Amino acid sequence: MGFESSNGTASPKLLKFLIYGRTGWIGGLLGKLCQSQGIDFTYGSGRLENRPSLEADLVAVNPTHVFNAAGVTGRPNVDWCESHKVETIRTNVVGTLTLADVCREKGLVLINYATGCIFEYDSSHPLGSGIGFKEEDTPNFIGSFYSKTKAMVEDLLRNYENVCTLRVRMPISSDLANPRNFITKITRYEKVVNIPNSMTILDELLPISIEMAKRNLTGIYNFTNPGVVSHNEILEMYRDYIDPDFTWKNFTLEEQAKVIVAPRSNNELDTAKLKREFPELLPIKESLIKYVFKPNQKTAAA
């Protein structure tokens, strides 16, 4: 689905992006991508929940497109949201809806980086079946308060024809020193579960999100690479390409539950819709090797 943006244009020299989430991982990467592509961009200074400050940003910047990479995920993880529910609602629900509404009033497409952690394997989408959750499916995972707020706001945003919702999952990048990187996280854990999941390789997918803005695409997209990869498969690649002496220990979901506050989502997302728009999109394991492990390779051969 496309949106008739008031000033949408595909020419890089005429594009101007307003990005929220300057201090965040995705927001920072977006700025670097814009610089490398010669796209004019500005980081928003307004608070998402403060409508007048957002309106002032739009007047001052006069963007062609708006990107929302701001949001509360919690530090060090989503367990934080369980004890900071009002703060989580303020940004993830009130703030996101306010930005979508302000953009709609101005006829602007909003690219909203959301989450795919609103589903879990079930009898209709069994683990290992290859049957993924589609964009129109109703979220079935509200085990964490973070996921609950994200599912709520996604449902409400379906009514905004100017919003492109991108369901990101377990984001990975070539920056293996970044503590937000899923690979970095699991290499530092004492023990890891071993479950196949859909994941997002940011080095491949963030440039695609910029292209989606240029095309004024709207609606919901499962924003992951096709297929699934397990924790052990990633750690095996890490051992083969980065550190041949690396070892790890597994534990069960029941054992994991004892050391976390809120349950975690595990699922496979169907990427057929995104793949139709971008047929060059690589399967998850190929993307991991091309964008993450090959550029960081330290071993002689893998």
Side-chain angles (χ1 to χ4, degrees):
M1 185 167 68
F3 178 71
E4 286 297 320
S5 171
S6 62
N7 20 327
T9 171
S11 170
K13 292 186 177 174
L14 297 174
L15 292 167
K16 179 141 195 195
F17 292 169
L18 174 60
I19 302 170
Y20 288 91
R22 177 181 208 141
T23 59
W25 182 23
I26 288 178
L29 290 174
L30 268 178
K32 289 177 183 173
L33 274 173
C34 288
Q35 286 174 332
S36 69
Q37 292 189 24
I39 296 171
D40 190 10
F41 75 99
T42 301
Y43 282 111
S45 56
R47 301 289 299 174
L48 291 191
E49 67 274 15
N50 185 329
R51 189 182 187 96
S53 72
L54 300 183
E55 291 171 335
D57 278 349
L58 290 180
V59 170
V61 177
N62 191 27
T64 58
H65 301 80
V66 181
F67 290 74
N68 180 30
V72 170
T73 55
R75 293 288 188 276
N77 54 49
V78 294
D79 285 342
W80 180 91
C81 300
E82 301 298 317
S83 54
H84 297 80
K85 292 184 176 178
V86 171
E87 295 94 322
T88 304
I89 292 169
R90 186 180 298 132
T91 302
N92 289 359
V93 181
V94 178
T96 303
L97 290 172
T98 302
L99 182 59
D101 197 58
V102 169
C103 288
R104 185 177 183 274
E105 279 194 346
K106 296 286 186 183
L108 294 170
V109 167
L110 171 65
I111 304 291
N112 184 51
Y113 297 94
T115 184
C117 291
I118 52 177
F119 297 99
E120 61 181 343
Y121 290 117
D122 62 14
S123 58
S124 301
H125 310 80
L127 189 155
S129 68
I131 301 169
F133 289 92
K134 293 183 166 68
E135 281 79 3
E136 60 272 18
D137 287 338
T138 303
N140 68 346
F141 177 78
I142 51 170
S144 70
F145 190 73
Y146 166 80
S147 292
K148 191 175 183 178
T149 63
K150 289 291 194 172
M152 272 182 215
V153 81
E154 182 187 278
D155 188 45
L156 292 168
L157 285 176
R158 288 177 187 271
N159 300 291
Y160 283 80
E161 73 281 4
N162 63 310
V163 176
C164 182
T165 293
L166 304 179
R167 290 175 175 165
V168 175
R169 285 208 80 235
M170 297 176 167
I172 290 169
S173 85
S174 54
D175 179 8
L176 295 179
N178 191 308
R180 308 297 291 167
N181 190 334
F182 180 74
I183 296 176
T184 311
K185 285 181 180 180
I186 64 173
T187 57
R188 294 177 180 178
Y189 287 161
E190 190 180 333
K191 293 180 179 178
V192 295
V193 292
N194 182 37
I195 302 171
N197 271 284
S198 286
M199 301 187 192
T200 303
I201 308 298
L202 295 175
D203 302 68
E204 181 173 16
L205 281 157
L206 281 188
I208 283 177
S209 68
I210 288 177
E211 181 59 33
M212 293 174 87
K214 292 177 183 177
R215 297 181 192 181
N216 289 323
L217 297 179
T218 56
I220 297 172
Y221 285 85
N222 288 334
F223 203 60
T224 60
N225 290 84
V228 292
V229 64
S230 70
H231 299 64
N232 281 8
E233 286 172 321
I234 289 176
L235 293 175
E236 284 163 7
M237 289 183 200
Y238 184 85
R239 180 191 61 205
D240 293 345
Y241 284 90
I242 312 294
D243 180 4
D245 297 321
F246 183 78
T247 60
W248 67 94
K249 293 177 184 172
N250 289 126
F251 66 165
T252 64
L253 280 173
E254 291 73 26
E255 289 169 319
Q256 182 195 49
K258 294 174 184 175
V259 296
I260 57 176
V261 176
R264 302 293 193 261
S265 155
N266 293 289
N267 69 54
E268 177 171 356
L269 298 181
D270 185 306
T271 53
K273 182 179 177 182
L274 186 64
K275 185 90 173 164
R276 278 196 300 273
E277 197 70 41
F278 299 94
E280 69 277 16
L281 185 62
L282 290 177
I284 183 65
K285 291 171 191 173
E286 289 180 34
S287 190
L288 272 167
I289 291 168
K290 178 178 178 179
Y291 290 98
V292 181
F293 289 115
K294 279 285 189 188
N296 284 291
Q297 186 168 353
K298 291 186 172 67
T299 56

mmCIF file of all heavy atoms in Angstrom, residues 227-261:
data_model
loop_
_atom_site.group_PDB
_atom_site.id
_atom_site.type_symbol
_atom_site.label_atom_id
_atom_site.label_comp_id
_atom_site.label_asym_id
_atom_site.label_seq_id
_atom_site.Cartn_x
_atom_site.Cartn_y
_atom_site.Cartn_z
ATOM 1 N N GLY A 227 13.143 -16.700 6.750
ATOM 2 C CA GLY A 227 13.621 -17.883 7.450
ATOM 3 C C GLY A 227 13.907 -17.624 8.918
ATOM 4 O O GLY A 227 13.631 -16.538 9.448
ATOM 5 N N VAL A 228 14.461 -18.637 9.571
ATOM 6 C CA VAL A 228 14.794 -18.527 10.997
ATOM 7 C C VAL A 228 16.221 -19.008 11.235
ATOM 8 O O VAL A 228 16.806 -19.712 10.407
ATOM 9 C CB VAL A 228 13.833 -19.376 11.872
ATOM 10 C CG1 VAL A 228 12.429 -18.796 11.859
ATOM 11 C CG2 VAL A 228 13.832 -20.839 11.429
ATOM 12 N N VAL A 229 16.768 -18.601 12.369
ATOM 13 C CA VAL A 229 18.084 -19.067 12.789
ATOM 14 C C VAL A 229 18.037 -19.239 14.302
ATOM 15 O O VAL A 229 17.362 -18.470 15.001
ATOM 16 C CB VAL A 229 19.203 -18.085 12.351
ATOM 17 C CG1 VAL A 229 19.060 -16.729 13.039
ATOM 18 C CG2 VAL A 229 20.587 -18.666 12.577
ATOM 19 N N SER A 230 18.718 -20.258 14.808
ATOM 20 C CA SER A 230 18.693 -20.511 16.254
ATOM 21 C C SER A 230 19.892 -19.866 16.943
ATOM 22 O O SER A 230 20.880 -19.497 16.287
ATOM 23 C CB SER A 230 18.701 -22.021 16.520
ATOM 24 O OG SER A 230 19.970 -22.571 16.187
ATOM 25 N N HIS A 231 19.808 -19.768 18.252
ATOM 26 C CA HIS A 231 20.910 -19.233 19.048
ATOM 27 C C HIS A 231 22.185 -20.023 18.791
ATOM 28 O O HIS A 231 23.262 -19.445 18.568
ATOM 29 C CB HIS A 231 20.567 -19.300 20.543
ATOM 30 C CG HIS A 231 19.362 -18.496 20.945
ATOM 31 N ND1 HIS A 231 18.098 -18.781 20.494
ATOM 32 C CD2 HIS A 231 19.247 -17.425 21.788
ATOM 33 C CE1 HIS A 231 17.246 -17.924 21.022
ATOM 34 N NE2 HIS A 231 17.912 -17.087 21.802
ATOM 35 N N ASN A 232 22.078 -21.348 18.818
ATOM 36 C CA ASN A 232 23.268 -22.186 18.619
ATOM 37 C C ASN A 232 23.870 -22.022 17.232
ATOM 38 O O ASN A 232 25.094 -22.002 17.080
ATOM 39 C CB ASN A 232 22.930 -23.664 18.863
ATOM 40 C CG ASN A 232 22.874 -24.005 20.347
ATOM 41 O OD1 ASN A 232 22.932 -23.127 21.210
ATOM 42 N ND2 ASN A 232 22.754 -25.290 20.654
ATOM 43 N N GLU A 233 23.020 -21.868 16.224
ATOM 44 C CA GLU A 233 23.537 -21.677 14.869
ATOM 45 C C GLU A 233 24.333 -20.379 14.757
ATOM 46 O O GLU A 233 25.382 -20.333 14.107
ATOM 47 C CB GLU A 233 22.384 -21.684 13.856
ATOM 48 C CG GLU A 233 21.812 -23.075 13.604
ATOM 49 C CD GLU A 233 20.561 -23.056 12.759
ATOM 50 O OE1 GLU A 233 19.706 -22.161 12.928
ATOM 51 O OE2 GLU A 233 20.421 -23.956 11.907
ATOM 52 N N ILE A 234 23.847 -19.335 15.407
ATOM 53 C CA ILE A 234 24.571 -18.058 15.410
ATOM 54 C C ILE A 234 25.893 -18.200 16.153
ATOM 55 O O ILE A 234 26.945 -17.733 15.692
ATOM 56 C CB ILE A 234 23.718 -16.938 16.041
ATOM 57 C CG1 ILE A 234 22.569 -16.571 15.104
ATOM 58 C CG2 ILE A 234 24.582 -15.711 16.349
ATOM 59 C CD1 ILE A 234 21.612 -15.542 15.672
ATOM 60 N N LEU A 235 25.860 -18.850 17.302
ATOM 61 C CA LEU A 235 27.077 -19.001 18.094
ATOM 62 C C LEU A 235 28.096 -19.924 17.413
ATOM 63 O O LEU A 235 29.307 -19.727 17.560
ATOM 64 C CB LEU A 235 26.730 -19.495 19.499
ATOM 65 C CG LEU A 235 25.939 -18.474 20.343
ATOM 66 C CD1 LEU A 235 25.525 -19.082 21.675
ATOM 67 C CD2 LEU A 235 26.731 -17.187 20.567
ATOM 68 N N GLU A 236 27.605 -20.878 16.637
ATOM 69 C CA GLU A 236 28.520 -21.715 15.847
ATOM 70 C C GLU A 236 29.227 -20.865 14.786
ATOM 71 O O GLU A 236 30.427 -21.011 14.540
ATOM 72 C CB GLU A 236 27.752 -22.862 15.189
ATOM 73 C CG GLU A 236 27.386 -23.983 16.157
ATOM 74 C CD GLU A 236 26.285 -24.901 15.623
ATOM 75 O OE1 GLU A 236 25.900 -24.749 14.437
ATOM 76 O OE2 GLU A 236 25.789 -25.740 16.400
ATOM 77 N N MET A 237 28.474 -19.961 14.138
ATOM 78 C CA MET A 237 29.079 -19.046 13.155
ATOM 79 C C MET A 237 30.091 -18.133 13.842
ATOM 80 O O MET A 237 31.174 -17.872 13.298
ATOM 81 C CB MET A 237 27.997 -18.192 12.483
ATOM 82 C CG MET A 237 27.092 -18.930 11.530
ATOM 83 S SD MET A 237 25.935 -17.758 10.750
ATOM 84 C CE MET A 237 24.659 -18.869 10.194
ATOM 85 N N TYR A 238 29.720 -17.666 15.026
ATOM 86 C CA TYR A 238 30.621 -16.788 15.781
ATOM 87 C C TYR A 238 31.938 -17.523 16.078
ATOM 88 O O TYR A 238 33.030 -16.962 15.910
ATOM 89 C CB TYR A 238 29.954 -16.362 17.095
ATOM 90 C CG TYR A 238 30.759 -15.371 17.909
ATOM 91 C CD1 TYR A 238 30.684 -14.003 17.652
ATOM 92 C CD2 TYR A 238 31.604 -15.799 18.931
ATOM 93 C CE1 TYR A 238 31.426 -13.088 18.392
ATOM 94 C CE2 TYR A 238 32.347 -14.898 19.675
ATOM 95 C CZ TYR A 238 32.249 -13.544 19.404
ATOM 96 O OH TYR A 238 32.997 -12.646 20.139
ATOM 97 N N ARG A 239 31.822 -18.762 16.480
ATOM 98 C CA ARG A 239 33.019 -19.574 16.754
ATOM 99 C C ARG A 239 33.831 -19.788 15.469
ATOM 100 O O ARG A 239 35.066 -19.647 15.474
ATOM 101 C CB ARG A 239 32.590 -20.923 17.340
ATOM 102 C CG ARG A 239 33.764 -21.874 17.681
ATOM 103 C CD ARG A 239 33.241 -23.253 17.979
ATOM 104 N NE ARG A 239 32.537 -23.822 16.818
ATOM 105 C CZ ARG A 239 31.596 -24.764 16.897
ATOM 106 N NH1 ARG A 239 31.211 -25.242 18.067
ATOM 107 N NH2 ARG A 239 31.023 -25.228 15.794
ATOM 108 N N ASP A 240 33.153 -20.096 14.376
ATOM 109 C CA ASP A 240 33.850 -20.409 13.126
ATOM 110 C C ASP A 240 34.513 -19.197 12.481
ATOM 111 O O ASP A 240 35.573 -19.313 11.874
ATOM 112 C CB ASP A 240 32.882 -21.044 12.123
ATOM 113 C CG ASP A 240 32.399 -22.423 12.583
ATOM 114 O OD1 ASP A 240 33.016 -22.986 13.497
ATOM 115 O OD2 ASP A 240 31.381 -22.906 12.028
ATOM 116 N N TYR A 241 33.878 -18.028 12.600
ATOM 117 C CA TYR A 241 34.394 -16.830 11.937
ATOM 118 C C TYR A 241 35.184 -15.890 12.854
ATOM 119 O O TYR A 241 36.070 -15.175 12.385
ATOM 120 C CB TYR A 241 33.241 -16.021 11.317
ATOM 121 C CG TYR A 241 32.696 -16.608 10.045
ATOM 122 C CD1 TYR A 241 31.651 -17.533 10.073
ATOM 123 C CD2 TYR A 241 33.207 -16.229 8.804
ATOM 124 C CE1 TYR A 241 31.135 -18.065 8.904
ATOM 125 C CE2 TYR A 241 32.689 -16.767 7.627
ATOM 126 C CZ TYR A 241 31.657 -17.676 7.686
ATOM 127 O OH TYR A 241 31.167 -18.210 6.518
ATOM 128 N N ILE A 242 34.839 -15.882 14.146
ATOM 129 C CA ILE A 242 35.405 -14.860 15.034
ATOM 130 C C ILE A 242 36.360 -15.426 16.082
ATOM 131 O O ILE A 242 37.486 -14.969 16.212
ATOM 132 C CB ILE A 242 34.286 -14.066 15.760
ATOM 133 C CG1 ILE A 242 33.208 -13.607 14.766
ATOM 134 C CG2 ILE A 242 34.873 -12.886 16.548
ATOM 135 C CD1 ILE A 242 33.651 -12.598 13.737
ATOM 136 N N ASP A 243 35.893 -16.392 16.847
ATOM 137 C CA ASP A 243 36.666 -16.886 17.986
ATOM 138 C C ASP A 243 36.588 -18.411 18.074
ATOM 139 O O ASP A 243 35.635 -18.963 18.612
ATOM 140 C CB ASP A 243 36.132 -16.251 19.278
ATOM 141 C CG ASP A 243 36.882 -16.696 20.516
ATOM 142 O OD1 ASP A 243 37.873 -17.452 20.392
ATOM 143 O OD2 ASP A 243 36.479 -16.281 21.623
ATOM 144 N N PRO A 244 37.608 -19.096 17.553
ATOM 145 C CA PRO A 244 37.565 -20.567 17.531
ATOM 146 C C PRO A 244 37.540 -21.207 18.919
ATOM 147 O O PRO A 244 37.184 -22.383 19.053
ATOM 148 C CB PRO A 244 38.844 -20.948 16.778
ATOM 149 C CG PRO A 244 39.700 -19.735 16.767
ATOM 150 C CD PRO A 244 38.813 -18.553 16.890
ATOM 151 N N ASP A 245 37.905 -20.429 19.948
ATOM 152 C CA ASP A 245 37.908 -20.969 21.315
ATOM 153 C C ASP A 245 36.606 -20.690 22.069
ATOM 154 O O ASP A 245 36.479 -21.042 23.241
ATOM 155 C CB ASP A 245 39.082 -20.367 22.121
ATOM 156 C CG ASP A 245 40.432 -20.748 21.515
ATOM 157 O OD1 ASP A 245 40.559 -21.910 21.072
ATOM 158 O OD2 ASP A 245 41.329 -19.885 21.465
ATOM 159 N N PHE A 246 35.667 -20.065 21.375
ATOM 160 C CA PHE A 246 34.419 -19.684 22.051
ATOM 161 C C PHE A 246 33.574 -20.905 22.404
ATOM 162 O O PHE A 246 33.423 -21.825 21.598
ATOM 163 C CB PHE A 246 33.598 -18.738 21.160
ATOM 164 C CG PHE A 246 32.336 -18.239 21.820
ATOM 165 C CD1 PHE A 246 32.388 -17.225 22.758
ATOM 166 C CD2 PHE A 246 31.104 -18.811 21.512
ATOM 167 C CE1 PHE A 246 31.225 -16.774 23.370
ATOM 168 C CE2 PHE A 246 29.949 -18.371 22.125
ATOM 169 C CZ PHE A 246 30.012 -17.344 23.061
ATOM 170 N N THR A 247 33.064 -20.919 23.616
ATOM 171 C CA THR A 247 32.162 -21.999 24.051
ATOM 172 C C THR A 247 30.938 -21.377 24.713
ATOM 173 O O THR A 247 30.962 -20.215 25.137
ATOM 174 C CB THR A 247 32.845 -22.934 25.059
ATOM 175 O OG1 THR A 247 33.245 -22.167 26.204
ATOM 176 C CG2 THR A 247 34.059 -23.617 24.458
ATOM 177 N N TRP A 248 29.867 -22.145 24.797
ATOM 178 C CA TRP A 248 28.649 -21.657 25.443
ATOM 179 C C TRP A 248 27.875 -22.806 26.046
ATOM 180 O O TRP A 248 28.130 -23.964 25.731
ATOM 181 C CB TRP A 248 27.778 -20.879 24.448
ATOM 182 C CG TRP A 248 27.199 -21.715 23.344
ATOM 183 C CD1 TRP A 248 25.974 -22.316 23.308
ATOM 184 C CD2 TRP A 248 27.825 -22.051 22.090
ATOM 185 N NE1 TRP A 248 25.798 -22.995 22.121
ATOM 186 C CE2 TRP A 248 26.920 -22.857 21.361
ATOM 187 C CE3 TRP A 248 29.068 -21.746 21.521
ATOM 188 C CZ2 TRP A 248 27.204 -23.348 20.099
ATOM 189 C CZ3 TRP A 248 29.363 -22.251 20.264
ATOM 190 C CH2 TRP A 248 28.443 -23.034 19.570
ATOM 191 N N LYS A 249 26.936 -22.443 26.901
ATOM 192 C CA LYS A 249 26.087 -23.442 27.543
ATOM 193 C C LYS A 249 24.628 -23.110 27.256
ATOM 194 O O LYS A 249 24.250 -21.944 27.249
ATOM 195 C CB LYS A 249 26.308 -23.448 29.059
ATOM 196 C CG LYS A 249 27.683 -23.916 29.488
ATOM 197 C CD LYS A 249 27.813 -23.797 31.008
ATOM 198 C CE LYS A 249 29.219 -24.162 31.471
ATOM 199 N NZ LYS A 249 29.402 -23.874 32.908
ATOM 200 N N ASN A 250 23.842 -24.148 27.035
ATOM 201 C CA ASN A 250 22.404 -23.970 26.825
ATOM 202 C C ASN A 250 21.633 -24.225 28.109
ATOM 203 O O ASN A 250 22.107 -24.907 29.009
ATOM 204 C CB ASN A 250 21.889 -24.937 25.757
ATOM 205 C CG ASN A 250 22.357 -24.584 24.361
ATOM 206 O OD1 ASN A 250 22.935 -25.409 23.661
ATOM 207 N ND2 ASN A 250 22.121 -23.362 23.923
ATOM 208 N N PHE A 251 20.443 -23.636 28.170
ATOM 209 C CA PHE A 251 19.481 -24.030 29.190
ATOM 210 C C PHE A 251 18.080 -23.956 28.622
ATOM 211 O O PHE A 251 17.880 -23.463 27.508
ATOM 212 C CB PHE A 251 19.658 -23.269 30.501
ATOM 213 C CG PHE A 251 19.386 -21.770 30.480
ATOM 214 C CD1 PHE A 251 19.220 -21.091 31.679
ATOM 215 C CD2 PHE A 251 19.303 -21.023 29.303
ATOM 216 C CE1 PHE A 251 18.982 -19.718 31.704
ATOM 217 C CE2 PHE A 251 19.066 -19.669 29.324
ATOM 218 C CZ PHE A 251 18.907 -19.012 30.553
ATOM 219 N N THR A 252 17.114 -24.528 29.325
ATOM 220 C CA THR A 252 15.748 -24.637 28.818
ATOM 221 C C THR A 252 14.971 -23.350 29.075
ATOM 222 O O THR A 252 15.388 -22.494 29.868
ATOM 223 C CB THR A 252 15.004 -25.796 29.498
ATOM 224 O OG1 THR A 252 14.886 -25.480 30.899
ATOM 225 C CG2 THR A 252 15.753 -27.108 29.322
ATOM 226 N N LEU A 253 13.811 -23.228 28.418
ATOM 227 C CA LEU A 253 12.932 -22.082 28.675
ATOM 228 C C LEU A 253 12.508 -22.043 30.134
ATOM 229 O O LEU A 253 12.377 -20.963 30.724
ATOM 230 C CB LEU A 253 11.690 -22.159 27.774
ATOM 231 C CG LEU A 253 11.859 -21.700 26.323
ATOM 232 C CD1 LEU A 253 10.595 -21.999 25.538
ATOM 233 C CD2 LEU A 253 12.200 -20.221 26.248
ATOM 234 N N GLU A 254 12.301 -23.224 30.726
ATOM 235 C CA GLU A 254 11.898 -23.288 32.140
ATOM 236 C C GLU A 254 13.018 -22.771 33.034
ATOM 237 O O GLU A 254 12.774 -22.045 33.998
ATOM 238 C CB GLU A 254 11.557 -24.743 32.519
ATOM 239 C CG GLU A 254 10.284 -25.292 31.872
ATOM 240 C CD GLU A 254 10.447 -25.596 30.389
ATOM 241 O OE1 GLU A 254 11.596 -25.869 29.931
ATOM 242 O OE2 GLU A 254 9.421 -25.556 29.677
ATOM 243 N N GLU A 255 14.262 -23.105 32.693
ATOM 244 C CA GLU A 255 15.404 -22.601 33.466
ATOM 245 C C GLU A 255 15.593 -21.106 33.243
ATOM 246 O O GLU A 255 15.907 -20.360 34.171
ATOM 247 C CB GLU A 255 16.673 -23.366 33.063
ATOM 248 C CG GLU A 255 16.693 -24.817 33.537
ATOM 249 C CD GLU A 255 17.823 -25.622 32.915
ATOM 250 O OE1 GLU A 255 18.097 -25.464 31.705
ATOM 251 O OE2 GLU A 255 18.426 -26.418 33.656
ATOM 252 N N GLN A 256 15.372 -20.663 31.991
ATOM 253 C CA GLN A 256 15.491 -19.228 31.685
ATOM 254 C C GLN A 256 14.473 -18.417 32.487
ATOM 255 O O GLN A 256 14.785 -17.331 32.971
ATOM 256 C CB GLN A 256 15.277 -18.980 30.190
ATOM 257 C CG GLN A 256 15.431 -17.512 29.795
ATOM 258 C CD GLN A 256 14.862 -17.214 28.411
ATOM 259 O OE1 GLN A 256 13.735 -17.601 28.097
ATOM 260 N NE2 GLN A 256 15.630 -16.539 27.586
ATOM 261 N N ALA A 257 13.268 -18.970 32.626
ATOM 262 C CA ALA A 257 12.187 -18.256 33.319
ATOM 263 C C ALA A 257 12.554 -17.883 34.757
ATOM 264 O O ALA A 257 12.034 -16.916 35.314
ATOM 265 C CB ALA A 257 10.914 -19.088 33.301
ATOM 266 N N LYS A 258 13.475 -18.629 35.327
ATOM 267 C CA LYS A 258 13.870 -18.374 36.719
ATOM 268 C C LYS A 258 14.785 -17.155 36.865
ATOM 269 O O LYS A 258 14.936 -16.628 37.960
ATOM 270 C CB LYS A 258 14.575 -19.614 37.291
ATOM 271 C CG LYS A 258 13.657 -20.829 37.421
ATOM 272 C CD LYS A 258 14.424 -22.068 37.850
ATOM 273 C CE LYS A 258 13.508 -23.296 37.887
ATOM 274 N NZ LYS A 258 14.250 -24.540 38.178
ATOM 275 N N VAL A 259 15.399 -16.718 35.755
ATOM 276 C CA VAL A 259 16.351 -15.599 35.844
ATOM 277 C C VAL A 259 15.877 -14.341 35.106
ATOM 278 O O VAL A 259 16.598 -13.357 35.024
ATOM 279 C CB VAL A 259 17.747 -16.015 35.317
ATOM 280 C CG1 VAL A 259 18.333 -17.107 36.197
ATOM 281 C CG2 VAL A 259 17.688 -16.467 33.856
ATOM 282 N N ILE A 260 14.667 -14.378 34.566
ATOM 283 C CA ILE A 260 14.092 -13.180 33.936
ATOM 284 C C ILE A 260 12.747 -12.866 34.586
ATOM 285 O O ILE A 260 12.111 -13.743 35.163
ATOM 286 C CB ILE A 260 13.916 -13.351 32.404
ATOM 287 C CG1 ILE A 260 13.053 -14.565 32.071
ATOM 288 C CG2 ILE A 260 15.267 -13.426 31.712
ATOM 289 C CD1 ILE A 260 12.767 -14.748 30.581
ATOM 290 N N VAL A 261 12.330 -11.616 34.494
ATOM 291 C CA VAL A 261 11.062 -11.194 35.098
ATOM 292 C C VAL A 261 9.888 -11.523 34.177
ATOM 293 O O VAL A 261 8.878 -12.069 34.610
ATOM 294 C CB VAL A 261 11.090 -9.678 35.426
ATOM 295 C CG1 VAL A 261 9.737 -9.223 35.969
ATOM 296 C CG2 VAL A 261 12.206 -9.364 36.423
#
